[in-house]
Amino acid sequence: MMAQYLALKEQAADCLLFYRMGDFFELFFDDAKIAAQVLDIALTSRGEHGGAPIPMCGVPVHSAEGYLARLIKAGCRVAIAEQVETPEEAKKRGGSKALVARDIVRFVTAGTLTEEALLEPRRANVLAAVCEVRGVIGVAACDISTGRMELEECSADQMGAALARLGASEVVASDSWDQAPVDCVPRPNRSFSSDEGETRLKALHGVSTLDGFGQFTRAMLAAAGGLITYLDHVGRGALPLLLPPVAREAGTHMAMDEATRASLEILVSSTGTRRGSLVEAIDRCVTGAGARLLAEDLSAPLTDARAINRRLELVSWLHDDPLLRGDIRGILRALPDVGRALGRVVAGRGSPRDLGQLRDGLSEARRLHDLLRARSDLPEPMVSLLPALSGHGALTDLYARALVPAPPTERSQGGFIAEGYDAGLDELRRVSGNARRAIAALEAKYRDETGIAALKIRHNGVLGYFIEVPAKHGDRLMAPDSGFTHRQTMAGAVRFNALALHEEASRIAESGGHSLAAEEAHFEDLVGHAVRAREAIAATAAALARIDVAAGQAERAAEGGWALPRVVDEPCLEITGGRHPVVEAALAAKGDRFVANDCYLNTPRPARAEPVEAPPRNAHPSTSSGWAGGAGAGTSRLWLVGGPNMGGKSTFLRQNALIVLLAQAGGFVPAQAAKVGMVDRLFSRVGAADNLARGRSTFMVEMVETAAILSQATERSFVILDEVGRGTSTYDGLALAWAVAEAVHSINRCRCLFATHYHELARLAETCDALSLHHVRAREWKGDLVLLHELAEGPADKSYGLAVARLAGVPAPVIKRARSVLDKLEKGRAATGGLAAGLGDLPLFAAAIEAAEEKVDALRERLNGLDIDALSPREALDLLYELKAQANG
Ligand code: ADP
């Protein structure tokens, strides 16, 4: 047996091998140790191998799914080795000692799941394959639980962003590619060829050309080759549901890199879970498929105004009609997950219950179709969804006739084909029913005849039907002429057989076997119907999901009083009364109110907007003139946002990025009104100090990310930069923040919100005509700091650092000491004046000031001497590194 085990294990070296033995899957050696630890089950041992006992553990077959789920979650891959012949067949083949043949029937991996119990209902489960073809990256992705498949190509530096958007749970790549993503599953290089991909796709969909599906490049096809070959490998030749591939064109979606996605907490929050994420705050879908599509929409907002407006039109129509919305959501709520049921059925892992789900889901789709068709005010996008909701009449009729109302998940016991569907099956069932009744009658008859009231007819797996009497009556039936034959004597009972009972029992066994075979044949036939209609069924599932997303977005908008955004093609941003959906929800849970704020980039500020504050009297000397910048407050595209910590700067930055994202994903936005100029790339960066948990050289990470913005942001991009430069020493940080702000302003010329606590940056307003100064307001009241979370124009008046420290509970003596140090520093500033005075304002040890001043002056000279417009992004980046090196001395 060990030889067989080891041979199988060799085929599954990177997996835990589940080795079927009777009613258990057993694991041996290191597999057993890993599984015992992950699953918290007992580790035992068995026999020996190489002189040492073999570690072993096992899980019962009937509850294997739950254990599998935990192993997959823990990052393991599992190979399932089943018995592929019965013990009888083995004996026939190789004598009484023959070992039952076993083979790996399937690999269970994170990206190739279809089982309901192993999948999260509200999350797509994506498997991706990536490869490189002459410098171009090909990406193929599929969700085999629903069959969706998508191909794209991108440049090498965009690979990370593409994979981040897909959020794949498993990525495969060539084993000979040195740039392959970390943690990917290595696969033979030959499977990543465009010929392989093309041949496989054509065979899969029975076409002679792929042109009907779209235009696919060599890189895309090579990735598809790698993907399909892998699926073939893990399914041991049985391919799952794969719908025709869709080519994703570059530029049809808003680009967001991994850091941006993480910092905006789109699908998962910083805790790594859905809790506290954007999607959690938005999702009002009533079906799992809707929730999955919403997550996809939020991961890949559109850049095509027509497509966005079609989505908005649908949401808006449902928003304006709460009654209709309620009716639609009522129907959707009761829907089974049609897409995933189809995925299981096509993959050959379907159950009668899955067929029942298809029947119920498709009939409900029809009901929704009829409800909608009766309306005279359907918007165009709904008109085009309607046809996909119907057209399954023949299939649902067939399933309705063929299946019982609530079919079981287990098909080996039968009992799922409805009465009246197959006369032959009904007859078999009648025979077996009659026989059962006859057996019940026999029991009464035998009691009567023998006079033993305690006589019973019973059934078990070993003996089949038998007659049982208490031991004290046993002798009476032992008599040769009693008509009973002895079968077994137990402690308190004796068991017999009788001719009539035997005959009825044989009838039951025979008709039972025949009816199981008949049901099995019907099952295959019913599955065949679904497989043939798979594309139409998937289209219905997709239409239902789209309607659910639109209705859910409308519901969310109605709940929060959100606005229909206007998406335009000029690079502006006009948000009135914007809110952050996640922070607002968190505050609401505590009974607090969120303060709405406006944001106007590249657009004149409406005259009626909040009263513009005069520059505070104690404003920084260097900014007391012309703080709003040369262009005036109205038309800036870069807002510098200052103010105390905890004042709401990050929240303000992110809420505007999220509003853009939500609008381009085709939903309402948390604002009073919003006009969003189409954004091609969205960047969000948080100063390194906020990211300490990442445990890398955080400043380096921050700079790499900043470099990406400087090289990639265009005039159509939107960038939020939160406390850039915070991860290094004060002077480095200031110099970098300064240079980055200038570069973003003058070279990238994108829309940008830039939060900083460096007052000195306010001076940028003097030279950068499209930059304006803003701050989050705070007041000191009776010695306490009151954060108003309200955005106002002009520079921040002071840093309130000590007040925030007191708010945070720093002990009074420390605050007092800090105040006296601060007084000293401020006196020093008054004595020196100029930029150096500004630097004295910074949270720096007094002793360091002198030594560093010289360097900063040199930096300042270099910065002042720069002709920024003449710099290429590459030169700007190099300069940043130089400046940093210079500042570090
Ligand atoms: P900063 O970036 O200025 O340090 P944050 O944006 O992190 O400040 O905000 C700190 C806290 O203040 C948030 O967690 C939230 O509770 C609260 N807050 C922020 N913005 C608002 C707002 N507009 N209205 C109400 N509370 C807010």
Side-chain angles (χ1 to χ4, degrees), residues 616 618-624 627 640-645 649 723 730 733-734 737-738 754-766 771 773-776 794-802 822 826 829 834-835 837-843:
N618 59 347
H620 196 282
S622 61
T623 60
S624 54
W627 48 262
L640 215 54
V641 183
N645 275 330
K649 299 187 292 299
E723 302 275 14
T730 309
L734 170 57
W738 184 292
F754 194 117
T756 182
H757 64 277
Y758 295 122
H759 299 299
E760 291 69 20
L761 290 189
R763 290 193 65 165
L764 281 168
E766 293 168 9
L771 177 150
L773 305 177
H774 305 261
H775 64 278
V776 283
D797 49 359
K798 53 182 184 169
S799 71
Y800 297 102
L802 299 188
L822 181 64
E826 282 181 342
R829 175 179 68 183
L835 182 61
L839 294 171
D841 223 3
L842 298 168

Side-chain angles (χ1 to χ4, degrees), residues 348-618:
R349 299 174 204 154
S351 70
R353 180 163 170 267
D354 291 322
L355 297 182
Q357 291 198 343
L358 292 181
R359 171 197 62 198
D360 300 344
L362 296 175
S363 322
E364 285 302 285
R366 172 81 213 188
R367 204 154 77 84
L368 187 59
H369 171 272
D370 296 348
L371 170 87
L372 289 167
R373 206 187 43 182
R375 306 273 307 199
S376 55
D377 59 342
L378 287 188
E380 199 285 317
M382 187 58 104
V383 173
S384 51
L385 284 173
L386 268 197
L389 294 181
S390 66
H392 301 290
L395 186 78
T396 48
D397 282 353
L398 172 69
Y399 281 14
R401 278 187 296 116
L403 296 165
V404 298
T409 44
E410 184 53 55
R411 79 174 196 253
S412 60
Q413 307 292 320
F416 51 86
I417 295 293
E419 219 182 298
Y421 179 65
D422 171 357
L425 178 64
D426 289 347
E427 176 59 20
L428 288 169
R429 285 179 177 161
R430 200 183 53 76
V431 169
S432 121
N434 284 347
R436 272 174 228 276
R437 275 189 293 278
I439 287 177
L442 277 178
E443 187 178 68
K445 181 170 163 253
Y446 292 147
R447 272 184 203 163
D448 243 24
E449 283 174 6
T450 58
I452 305 170
L455 178 145
K456 282 199 181 87
I457 292 182
R458 301 183 58 195
H459 180 271
N460 71 24
V462 183
L463 298 184
Y465 286 93
F466 54 85
I467 300 150
E468 187 175 281
V469 294
K472 62 178 188 230
H473 300 298
D475 286 353
R476 291 221 333 253
L477 304 194
M478 292 286 196
D481 59 349
S482 68
F484 297 97
T485 8
H486 175 255
R487 296 199 66 185
Q488 205 176 28
T489 299
M490 315 286 293
V494 190
R495 292 169 172 180
F496 298 90
N497 201 355
L499 192 60
L501 176 62
H502 177 72
E503 277 171 9
E504 297 299 346
S506 312
R507 252 179 229 135
I508 293 179
E510 192 179 330
S511 57
H514 286 152
S515 36
L516 274 185
E519 291 208 48
E520 185 61 31
H522 286 307
F523 181 78
E524 294 303 330
D525 175 56
L526 295 173
V527 163
H529 281 87
V531 171
R532 283 189 291 282
R534 62 183 180 271
E535 284 177 33
I537 298 175
T540 304
L544 290 168
R546 175 53 65 203
I547 295 172
D548 189 22
V549 169
Q553 293 269 42
E555 184 75 16
R556 181 68 187 89
E559 203 180 280
W562 292 10
L564 173 67
R566 201 148 66 83
V567 179
V568 297
D569 223 9
E570 54 211 83
C572 63
L573 188 63
E574 270 181 56
I575 294 168
T576 314
R579 279 127 51 200
H580 188 304
V582 179
V583 176
E584 184 177 25
L587 289 175
K590 291 190 295 181
D592 291 337
R593 212 175 56 83
F594 188 90
V595 180
N597 279 306
D598 302 346
C599 179
Y600 297 95
L601 298 178
N602 252 353
T603 188
R605 193 184 181 85
R608 53 147 206 82
E610 65 183 63
V612 173
E613 286 216 335
R617 208 173 298 193
N618 59 347

